[in-house]
Amino acid sequence: TTLTVSPYQDPKGVREAGMRAAVGAGIVYLDHDFRELYPRATVRSREAGMYRQNYCGCLFSKVEAEAQRLARRDVHKAKRGQ
């Protein structure tokens, strides 16, 4: 799962959910923490022109991500004296 590369996810929670899902499906969950590869994965996906969603997909997360984006924009404007 892509959740194992994101430093924003709960690795213990991802592992537990993956193991439960695997048991339910009768398969083996292969657990590996890929978070150390996140910076490289980010660069490579941007170089490839891939879409990168900056929120989990729920409305709450989307609103939160937009608020953070606007706050960063305001900080950058203030630094430039605008």
Side-chain angles (χ1 to χ4, degrees):
T1 175
T2 57
L3 296 175
T4 61
V5 75
S6 174
Y8 304 105
Q9 302 304 320
D10 170 20
K12 181 180 176 190
V14 170
R15 181 181 310 107
E16 290 172 358
M19 292 175 81
R20 280 193 310 271
V23 167
I27 59 175
V28 175
Y29 177 71
L30 299 177
D31 182 42
H32 190 79
D33 185 349
F34 291 100
R35 289 179 296 165
E36 74 276 1
L37 298 175
Y38 182 77
R40 183 170 178 236
T42 301
V43 169
R44 290 187 67 190
S45 63
R46 286 195 175 127
E47 289 173 351
M50 296 173 72
Y51 171 73
R52 295 189 48 82
Q53 184 167 302
N54 64 346
Y55 62 96
C56 75
C58 74
L59 183 57
F60 174 79
S61 178
K62 184 177 183 179
V63 170
E64 182 181 53
E66 179 66 12
Q68 290 172 353
R69 186 186 68 77
L70 292 173
R72 284 191 305 271
R73 183 194 65 186
D74 292 344
V75 167
H76 291 303
K77 280 185 175 182
K79 286 182 180 178
R80 291 184 298 219
Q82 295 179 341

